[in-house]
Amino acid sequence: MVNSHRKRILKVYLGFYCTAIILPKICICSQFSMPSSDQFNQDLGAFPAATNGEPFPWHELRLPNTAIPLHYDLLVHPNLTSLDFVASEKIEVLARDATQFIILHSKDLEIMNATLHSEEDLRYRKPGRKLDVLSYPAHEQIALLVPEKLTADLKYYVAIDFQGKVADGFEGFYKSTYRTLGGETRTIAVTDFEPTEARMAFPCFDEPLFKANFSIKIRRESRHIALSNMPKVKTIELEGGLLEDHFETTVKMSTYLVAYIVCDFKSVSGTSSSGVKVSIYASPDKWSQTHYALEASLKLLDFYESYFDINYPLPKLDLIAIPDFGAGAMENWGLITYRETSLLFDPKTSSAFDKLWVTRVIAHELAHQWFGNLVTMEWWNDIWLNEGFAKYMELVSLNATYPELQFDDYFLEVCFEVIKRDSLNASHPISNQAKTPTQIQEMFDTISYNKGACILNMLKDFLSEEKFRKGIIHYLKKFSYQNAKNDDLWSSMSNLLFQGEDEEVRDMMATWTLQKGIPLVVVEREGRSLRLRQERFLSGVFREDPAWRALQERYLWHIPLTYSTSSSDVIHRHILKSKTDILDLPESTSWVKFNVNSNGYYIVHYEGHGWDQLIQQLNQNHTLLRPKDRTGLIHDAFQLVSAGRLTLDKALDLTRYLQHETSSLALLKGLGYLELFYHMMDRRNISDVSENLKHYLLQYFKPVIDTQSWNDEGSVWDRMLRSTLLTLACDLNHTPCIRKATDLFSQWMESSGKLNIPTDVLKIVYSVGAQTTEGWNYLLEQYKLSMSGAEKNKILYALSTRKHQEKLMKLIELGMEGKIIKTQDLASLLHAIARNPKGQQLAWNFVRENWTHLLKKFGLGSFDMRIIISGTTSHFSSKDELQEVKLFFDSLKAQGLHLDIFQIVLETISKNIKWLEKNLPTLRTWLLART
Ligand code: BES
Ligand code: ZN
């Protein structure tokens, strides 16, 4: 039996092989450039084995392009009690070549039945032909074997009946639960597909290039509602009281954007200027927290429609807060899913920072409705075309719609965050190879997001806002409902530019997207002459290290430099395309500052007296430099210390002007570095330095700490500064801070949690309160009861600052159990515990000892797993710790588990070790002279 089957399959392949070579190839869609099945068939010996032992007719991870999907009819019937679902689908496919098999993605699904109809079969109502199905789980693929080969250019209909489990975890079609005010636990079912999990919910061509239309039907009980990408057309009543909702057919889109949800949520709705119905959904008791999101999404939708000059193409847009969510949010077309804390706003417990976050996430996912949904990257190597743009559009849209949130200033942090990563050798180019699902997941990192956004911001600054906008409109219009790659973006931009300028943009942007790392521009001034030199900036590798030279080879950027001088406010521009260059200043000046407003993605080092001249200016009158320039100087100075290019005392001297600093942005940057050093000393128990640093911080920043009020007044930056300063003061045991927080905490407990504490100091008050057993236990009780995600986050953080290991262990146990502390919050909990000097060893040991459990919960490449790994290790700064971490990673690699984050963590720890070796004595002496 097995033998005859095998023979049949071989005949099928050989038949295919012949026709594939003999028939000329007809290319229907020029966008498809994936491996074709011909390639495979030339290597007949290379069949992997399917689960039943038969040869599986495809060996690539990417699907063949011989049959492409046009339309899916999908019916799903989940049972929220037994937690399984039955489903069926009919996929209309176009045969682009003669083929005898169709390869689809499918993961953890049980295929019951598969049949094939040709158009002729349907026309004459002929029965379908039953298909043999082979399964190859290693590639998450199934093969449908067609009895007679499909004819090129004809359409076919593949019908599949299948079933599966409503998954645990956060991927595919999964279960989420929530607690009502009355204490009842309710279950809902929700999808999350990006990047490669649609295949867990229905067999499909699960690659972004295979765009199709989807007609979705969902069966549900009457106590539930069903939502999907499109509005509901009708509901049919079935036998036994079941209801079947039919949704309108979608526009042409990728599988990862499909979504459906069965729940019992409530909503608020409004209509955008162009008539789109926008609704915000949340569990019934959280309905009151949805209003801000509605206001923001309506405003942002209006903004994007006019900014892109393209209307949102669907009749409705739902935004829904899911109680269990792996990422922060997901941009499913027409049905955007959010973690509760990324969508809901509770005026009583959400801080200024929380409001900024919610607005940013809404802006980000709405931007994806164009960047990502309307125009999609061809393959995941270019995920930055989705994520970098969405992150960049947060800046553009918030500047226009919520200028009072002052996100423009905060954007600098977006770039500073990625510079940390990109200045390690373990970084990667924005556009990078990705093959396996894990590698694809790993592409969703700060390089794709933040660096993508930062180089777009740099390009906008270079081209002008108007030209840049025209370029992206052209790109969006040209590639609507299609896919694009890196180069298509630059061509679209270039089209609108003058001759010469177009090539300049293309060449320039290639150096930022195809090459990893960040450049260092070294400036040396001799009179009016500026000598410029570019290098690859590497933190943790010094110029005198033997490895340095080899790490520099073949790196060259086209850097759109900007600079201003002490003589005028004019912004000068120059593109540095070579390793060295010389510039002549129009007039003599006392200082030169490069990278105006920190819009460029590069670090600047001023050789000779350059830094001294700038420090002198900051001390004399810092307002002659722009706030973002002052912030950039602080950033660059401390980065240069990490690279061994500037001495720590010089960078510390630069912060001495901060006492007079009026910009919260600059103040927070300087304070941030000092705080970082304090925590490093505290963790390592280098108590003489940590004590002196503590005294220095409290003494030096006393005037600004003491003027902070304990309320929510002021601009967003006033409020963020307040939160940071008071957190620091209480962290450092500053008596007035502890007294005030203790007082507020007691009043709060006495009021049985009813007292409204100002939101910006809430976390501080809880953290101080958590230091007693009574306070800690009370907070945990409130955690169980709270209906506000914003408050729960603050309580959990406070609980994690307790200095007792048993309490910290208790939290980890609750997080592992997933009932009181949800699994979705476990990664940030472990990260928070690892920040606590009393918890760092505990968290790290826990991760090592429970690796298999954690892996099962989150999956190797997930956001959570990467946060757990880096959050519990990258602060280490000793050789022993480095060795421990290395051993652990080696043991994982030996099991075939590999992540880029391993190397990033190892390089980060090495960098910390080196920093301490070089700078600890300097820090010690510098402080001694000042305390
Ligand atoms: N498309 C992503 C969601 C996602 C992340 C899918 C990782 C697959 C893997 C979404 O648009 C996103 O970027 N979400 C962010 C929040 C955003 C405000 C930066 C997230 O989840 O962190
Ligand atoms: Zn995104």
Side-chain angles (χ1 to χ4, degrees):
M1 160 77 192
V2 172
N3 239 346
S4 70
H5 195 81
R6 201 167 275 150
K7 262 191 216 148
R8 189 164 62 85
I9 289 174
L10 195 64
K11 217 175 103 201
V12 164
Y13 300 157
L14 285 172
F16 175 75
Y17 178 58
C18 299
T19 32
I21 309 181
I22 295 159
L23 285 176
K25 259 194 92 164
I26 302 161
C27 189
I28 289 167
C29 171
S30 62
Q31 282 201 29
F32 288 87
S33 57
M34 298 162 300
S36 78
S37 49
D38 312 8
Q39 238 170 299
F40 161 75
N41 281 280
Q42 282 162 18
D43 184 10
L44 285 168
F47 298 144
T51 42
N52 63 354
E54 302 293 340
F56 190 82
W58 189 247
H59 67 167
E60 308 257 358
L61 273 162
R62 296 283 300 269
L63 300 181
N65 58 4
T66 37
I68 59 168
L70 301 174
H71 179 263
Y72 292 78
D73 254 315
L74 177 65
L75 167 69
V76 186
H77 177 196
N79 181 329
L80 298 195
T81 314
S82 63
L83 292 175
D84 39 33
F85 65 89
V86 288
S88 60
E89 68 181 344
K90 193 171 79 191
I91 314 175
E92 180 184 342
V93 298
L94 174 70
R96 297 184 64 233
D97 260 327
T99 179
Q100 219 134 10
F101 53 82
I102 298 172
I103 310 291
L104 292 171
H105 283 111
S106 173
K107 185 180 172 191
D108 299 337
L109 295 173
E110 190 184 341
I111 312 290
M112 321 297 289
N113 187 36
T115 51
L116 181 85
H117 285 89
S118 64
E119 289 210 286
E120 198 181 279
D121 293 338
L122 286 186
R123 203 172 311 128
Y124 299 110
R125 293 176 190 277
K126 288 197 206 155
R129 280 156 292 170
K130 194 168 160 42
L131 302 174
D132 282 333
V133 183
L134 296 178
S135 173
Y136 186 48
H139 286 182
E140 301 171 356
Q141 290 169 354
I142 55 171
L144 308 179
L145 306 182
V146 184
E148 273 168 43
K149 66 178 183 287
L150 306 185
T151 311
D153 292 342
L154 288 192
K155 284 185 193 166
Y156 294 87
Y157 299 84
V158 177
I160 306 177
D161 297 326
F162 58 99
Q163 61 186 30
K165 289 249 162 273
V166 178
D168 275 331
F170 308 99
E171 296 172 339
F173 189 31
Y174 73 93
K175 168 186 96 152
S176 172
T177 59
Y178 71 95
R179 202 181 50 81
T180 65
L181 264 180
E184 182 195 344
T185 299
R186 293 190 187 160
T187 302
I188 68 166
V190 46
T191 55
D192 189 54
F193 291 164
E194 195 181 17
T196 57
E197 278 80 38
R199 61 191 72 169
M200 289 175 75
F202 58 100
C204 56
F205 297 81
D206 199 10
E207 293 182 4
L209 198 48
F210 290 116
K211 290 195 174 187
N213 306 95
F214 295 82
S215 305
I216 295 172
K217 296 177 189 152
I218 307 286
R219 287 194 184 156
R220 59 171 172 96
E221 294 175 41
S222 59
R223 65 188 167 123
H224 289 135
I225 57 166
L227 299 168
S228 186
N229 304 86
M230 295 298 284
K232 195 166 71 178
V233 210
K234 63 177 175 189
T235 302
I236 291 174
E237 202 169 332
L238 307 172
E239 257 175 56
L242 270 187
L243 299 171
E244 189 177 281
D245 290 332
H246 295 201
F247 296 93
E248 273 179 39
T249 301
T250 68
V251 291
K252 220 174 142 204
M253 61 189 240
S254 307
T255 45
Y256 78 89
L257 293 167
V258 171
Y260 40 89
I261 295 171
V262 176
C263 67
D264 59 350
F265 284 7
K266 298 277 171 286
S267 63
V268 291
S269 302
T271 308
S272 76
S273 305
S274 60
V276 178
K277 183 177 178 196
V278 178
S279 308
I280 316 293
Y281 283 84
S283 64
D285 297 324
K286 291 183 179 162
W287 179 83
S288 63
Q289 300 171 41
T290 53
H291 301 282
Y292 176 70
L294 181 61
E295 171 208 305
S297 44
L298 283 168
K299 231 177 176 180
L300 285 157
L301 190 63
D302 284 350
F303 169 77
Y304 284 133
E305 288 194 329
S306 95
Y307 186 87
F308 296 136
D309 189 31
I310 303 172
N311 275 1
Y312 171 79
L314 313 185
K316 67 94 176 172
L317 173 61
D318 295 330
L319 292 81
I320 180 165
I322 307 296
D324 301 271
F325 202 76
M330 174 61 212
E331 68 265 25
N332 316 298
W333 214 342
L335 176 55
I336 311 179
T337 41
Y338 292 80
R339 193 179 266 248
E340 289 187 340
T341 45
S342 302
L343 185 68
L344 303 182
F345 181 81
D346 170 32
K348 290 204 172 102
T349 54
S350 299
S351 64
F353 189 81
D354 294 334
K355 186 171 208 167
L356 177 60
W357 175 248
V358 166
T359 321
R360 280 177 65 187
V361 186
I362 295 174
H364 179 105
E365 304 310 333
L366 254 59
H368 273 314
Q369 307 301 303
W370 287 262
F371 279 105
N373 301 8
L374 189 62
V375 179
T376 314
M377 71 279 142
E378 276 190 9
W379 182 247
W380 303 106
N381 62 321
D382 274 332
I383 187 61
W384 85 277
L385 289 175
N386 279 11
E387 298 302 348
F389 260 109
K391 192 147 255 334
Y392 172 68
M393 289 313 298
E394 292 174 31
L395 171 71
V396 178
S397 65
L398 262 65
N399 277 349
T401 54
Y402 286 94
E404 69 277 18
L405 290 180
Q406 297 169 288
F407 182 57
D408 193 48
D409 286 344
Y410 195 84
F411 188 76
L412 250 53
E413 277 304 323
V414 169
C415 304
F416 294 158
E417 190 191 322
V418 64
I419 289 174
K420 237 186 331 192
R421 166 78 55 102
D422 208 19
S423 50
L424 299 174
N425 189 40
S427 188
H428 65 79
I430 286 189
S431 198
N432 202 19
Q433 273 230 350
K435 286 200 169 112
T436 65
T438 300
Q439 287 167 352
I440 292 168
Q441 279 184 312
E442 286 186 281
M443 285 300 292
F444 291 80
D445 68 355
T446 60
I447 299 291
S448 301
Y449 279 80
N450 299 30
K451 184 172 178 181
C454 295
I455 62 159
L456 288 172
N457 186 46
M458 176 166 73
L459 180 62
K460 181 219 60 185
D461 187 58
F462 173 71
L463 287 177
S464 84
E465 172 91 52
E466 222 18 64
K467 276 190 198 164
F468 182 82
R469 179 178 169 192
K470 279 197 181 131
I472 59 178
I473 292 176
H474 186 252
Y475 166 79
L476 286 173
K477 289 191 172 167
K478 182 163 178 204
F479 293 98
S480 283
Y481 302 104
Q482 299 175 63
N483 298 74
K485 51 189 183 312
N486 213 6
D487 208 43
D488 295 326
L489 174 67
W490 310 132
S491 322
S492 304
M493 291 261 176
S494 307
N495 255 334
L496 303 165
L497 302 174
F498 300 117
Q499 241 194 345
E501 212 178 13
D502 54 348
E503 263 181 36
E504 198 150 79
V505 167
R506 193 189 286 265
D507 292 350
M508 179 191 291
M509 294 321 284
T511 72
W512 298 98
T513 50
L514 304 179
Q515 179 172 244
K516 69 179 176 182
I518 172 165
L520 168 69
V521 176
V522 181
V523 183
E524 200 183 351
R525 191 149 72 96
E526 266 179 42
R528 284 204 200 167
S529 185
L530 296 174
R531 270 177 214 286
L532 306 178
R533 190 169 78 237
Q534 63 162 298
E535 297 171 8
R536 174 182 175 202
F537 179 76
L538 288 160
S539 64
V541 187
F542 298 171
R543 215 147 74 139
E544 50 275 24
D545 293 347
W548 189 84
R549 185 157 295 282
L551 291 169
Q552 291 290 331
E553 266 165 33
R554 292 195 304 277
Y555 282 86
L556 186 76
W557 286 267
H558 290 192
I559 312 172
L561 294 175
T562 53
Y563 58 98
S564 61
T565 72
S566 54
S567 334
S568 80
D569 225 18
V570 178
I571 301 175
H572 303 272
R573 291 177 185 273
H574 175 76
I575 308 181
L576 177 63
K577 293 184 188 169
S578 46
K579 277 273 174 199
T580 58
D581 210 343
I582 293 184
L583 280 182
D584 288 319
L585 290 173
E587 61 243 319
S588 62
T589 61
S590 55
W591 50 261
V592 185
K593 159 76 178 60
F594 275 77
N595 199 2
V596 177
N597 273 327
S598 301
N599 275 323
Y601 190 74
Y602 55 93
I603 290 176
V604 187
H605 180 40
Y606 304 92
E607 271 185 350
H609 297 294
W611 279 105
D612 293 328
Q613 287 153 355
L614 286 161
I615 293 173
Q616 202 182 355
Q617 182 60 62
L618 287 174
N619 285 326
Q620 273 168 9
N621 178 6
H622 64 271
T623 60
L624 282 192
L625 287 142
R626 300 165 182 87
K628 284 186 189 168
D629 283 330
R630 308 197 296 259
T631 313
L633 282 175
I634 300 173
H635 170 264
D636 284 8
F638 284 102
Q639 291 309 309
L640 289 165
V641 173
S642 297
R645 299 301 275 267
L646 195 69
T647 58
L648 178 64
D649 45 5
K650 186 81 76 190
L652 290 168
D653 286 346
L654 188 140
T655 64
R656 293 292 289 173
Y657 91 96
L658 282 176
Q659 226 163 18
H660 309 287
E661 180 55 272
T662 41
S663 150
S664 302
L665 181 70
L667 197 52
L668 284 173
K669 190 77 238 158
L671 195 64
Y673 281 110
L674 296 171
E675 231 184 310
L676 188 83
F677 303 152
Y678 169 76
H679 287 299
M680 198 193 257
M681 302 301 136
D682 191 32
R683 281 169 178 288
R684 288 292 305 276
N685 248 331
I686 307 174
S687 45
D688 64 317
V689 184
S690 67
E691 277 305 300
N692 282 344
L693 199 45
K694 176 171 150 180
H695 288 132
Y696 175 74
L697 280 163
L698 287 176
Q699 179 198 321
Y700 188 75
F701 290 100
K702 188 172 190 315
V704 52
I705 291 174
D706 287 350
T707 50
Q708 296 306 312
S709 55
W710 290 64
N711 58 34
D712 282 344
E713 277 158 23
S715 71
V716 170
W717 279 98
D718 293 341
R719 295 178 62 181
M720 296 210 278
L721 181 68
R722 173 185 302 135
S723 285
T724 312
L725 283 173
L726 294 177
T727 305
L728 175 71
C730 278
D731 245 17
L732 298 178
N733 262 326
H734 185 46
T735 317
C737 186
I738 299 282
R739 202 180 294 134
K740 178 75 184 174
T742 311
D743 207 31
L744 278 171
F745 188 75
S746 314
Q747 288 176 34
W748 179 68
M749 261 175 70
E750 275 159 29
S751 73
S752 305
K754 297 212 166 47
L755 176 80
N756 283 338
I757 299 171
T759 59
D760 298 330
V761 297
L762 201 47
K763 194 153 97 177
I764 304 163
V765 172
Y766 289 161
S767 299
V768 171
Q771 302 311 317
T772 69
T773 303
E774 191 198 5
W776 196 89
N777 291 339
Y778 187 74
L779 277 166
L780 186 56
E781 286 312 307
Q782 289 299 312
Y783 183 83
K784 292 177 195 163
L785 298 175
S786 176
M787 277 290 156
S788 151
E791 181 179 37
K792 289 180 83 153
N793 268 357
K794 294 179 181 75
I795 299 183
L796 194 56
Y797 177 82
L799 293 171
S800 79
T801 63
R802 189 69 201 271
K803 304 285 178 279
H804 285 275
Q805 301 220 339
E806 318 84 75
K807 293 286 187 206
L808 299 177
M809 200 53 226
K810 165 95 184 160
L811 289 178
I812 297 183
E813 279 162 12
L814 291 176
M816 287 300 279
E817 192 186 39
K819 286 186 181 145
I820 294 170
I821 299 175
K822 280 184 170 277
T823 308
Q824 66 166 4
D825 298 315
L826 180 58
S828 54
L829 172 68
L830 285 167
H831 185 26
I833 291 178
R835 284 168 52 101
N836 177 345
K838 288 281 182 297
Q840 52 178 344
Q841 205 55 39
L842 185 82
W844 164 232
N845 288 342
F846 181 84
V847 170
R848 277 189 292 177
E849 285 156 19
N850 294 275
W851 173 259
T852 323
H853 287 121
L854 291 170
L855 197 61
K856 226 162 100 194
K857 278 182 199 287
F858 299 112
L860 188 63
S862 65
F863 263 155
D864 289 282
M865 212 57 194
R866 286 179 281 150
I867 291 173
I868 290 174
I869 296 167
S870 67
T872 54
T873 54
S874 36
H875 55 270
F876 286 145
S877 58
S878 76
K879 286 189 174 144
D880 289 348
E881 288 164 333
L882 176 64
Q883 192 52 23
E884 258 184 48
V885 176
K886 194 171 173 323
L887 272 177
F888 179 60
F889 289 166
D890 284 346
S891 75
L892 296 178
K893 283 189 216 159
Q895 298 165 47
L897 303 175
H898 187 86
L899 285 178
D900 291 348
I901 194 85
F902 296 165
Q903 191 54 28
I904 287 162
V905 165
L906 295 176
E907 281 189 26
T908 306
I909 302 176
S910 304
K911 182 183 94 178
N912 297 344
I913 295 171
K914 211 156 175 184
W915 192 97
L916 265 181
E917 272 172 6
K918 184 162 169 93
N919 297 310
L920 183 59
T922 319
L923 182 59
R924 190 173 266 136
T925 5
W926 192 86
L927 284 168
L928 278 177
R930 279 161 193 86
T931 43

